[in-house]
Amino acid sequence: MKLNELKKEVLKAAKDSYKLGLVAGTSGNVSIYDKNNEVMIITPSSIPYDTMTIEDLVVLKLDGTILDGYNKPSSEWKMHAKIFKDRKDIKCVLHTHSPYATGFAVCQETIPVILIEMVPFIGGDVPVAKFGMPGSESIGTEALKVLKDRKACLLSNHGTLAIGETVDKAFTSSIYLEDAAKIYHIAKNAGNVKVLSDKEINMMKNS
Ligand SMILES: [Zn+2]
């Protein structure tokens, strides 16, 4: 796929995240790794989503060398680069501050498997990565430790992270993460939450 097409995908995911309330203000960031050219395309730092254009996106190497774009890359570019360096199967990294999921990130509380959609779209429960300093590679390092076979995780006292082999997959995981967090919050307030058993989860994984 050509660079311009990849840029369109990044921009669409960024704007859709904003429209759906997964990010507020200029928080959150999206990136795609282009394996053929060994470059990452990422949303810029501090540009409002509603006015963001393709020209605002930044193309850089995983070592931070900027190849294209006149803006600063997202302040979290090191987290994205770390994930692309370690996970060759991942093409898209999507970071949000979606409110319900971030609420559990602030509590540093795992979201158990309470809904069937969590199995295909997240890969199981939603683990919590240890706190990493903003802008540091350590956020990515800590996220990788808990992600393993999961498609999304919580970042302690910060937000969410979804990864995927495609932009659509990462975006869908983000949506289902927020949905699960919202429903878990409601269920916890309503009564005793019943979590799906390992047996039920494995049956779904193998069906
Ligand atoms: Zn953030």
Side-chain angles (χ1 to χ4, degrees), residues 5-22:
E5 296 302 310
L6 295 172
K7 282 183 177 177
K8 282 182 192 168
E9 286 197 43
V10 172
L11 189 68
K12 184 176 186 308
K15 285 183 180 280
D16 286 349
S17 298
Y18 181 65
K19 277 184 214 154
L20 291 175
L22 301 179

Side-chain angles (χ1 to χ4, degrees), residues 53-88:
T53 66
I54 275 197
E55 288 74 35
D56 287 321
L57 303 178
V58 185
V59 181
L60 65 168
K61 289 192 198 173
L62 296 187
D63 66 4
T65 310
I66 294 176
L67 302 173
D68 181 28
Y70 45 79
N71 290 308
K72 276 189 187 169
S74 160
S75 60
E76 299 293 1
W77 71 265
K78 287 182 184 170
M79 168 180 78
H80 292 250
K82 175 65 182 165
I83 291 167
F84 291 131
K85 276 185 222 167
D86 283 32
R87 290 286 301 266
K88 302 297 177 199

Side-chain angles (χ1 to χ4, degrees), residues 154-168:
L154 302 176
L155 305 175
S156 285
N157 301 82
H158 185 164
T160 81
L161 194 67
I163 54 175
E165 307 91 30
T166 65
V167 179
D168 280 350

Side-chain angles (χ1 to χ4, degrees), residues 27-29 76 95-97 158:
S27 70
N29 30 72
E76 299 293 1
H95 166 55
T96 82
H97 293 185
H158 185 164

Side-chain angles (χ1 to χ4, degrees), residues 8 15 28 30 35 38 40 49 56 58 67 94 115-116 129 136 138 144 182 189:
K8 282 182 192 168
K15 285 183 180 280
V30 190
K35 276 182 196 166
E38 297 183 337
M40 175 170 87
Y49 287 102
D56 287 321
V58 185
L67 302 173
L94 175 58
L115 296 169
I116 54 171
S136 72
S138 69
L144 285 164
K182 190 175 186 178
N189 284 299

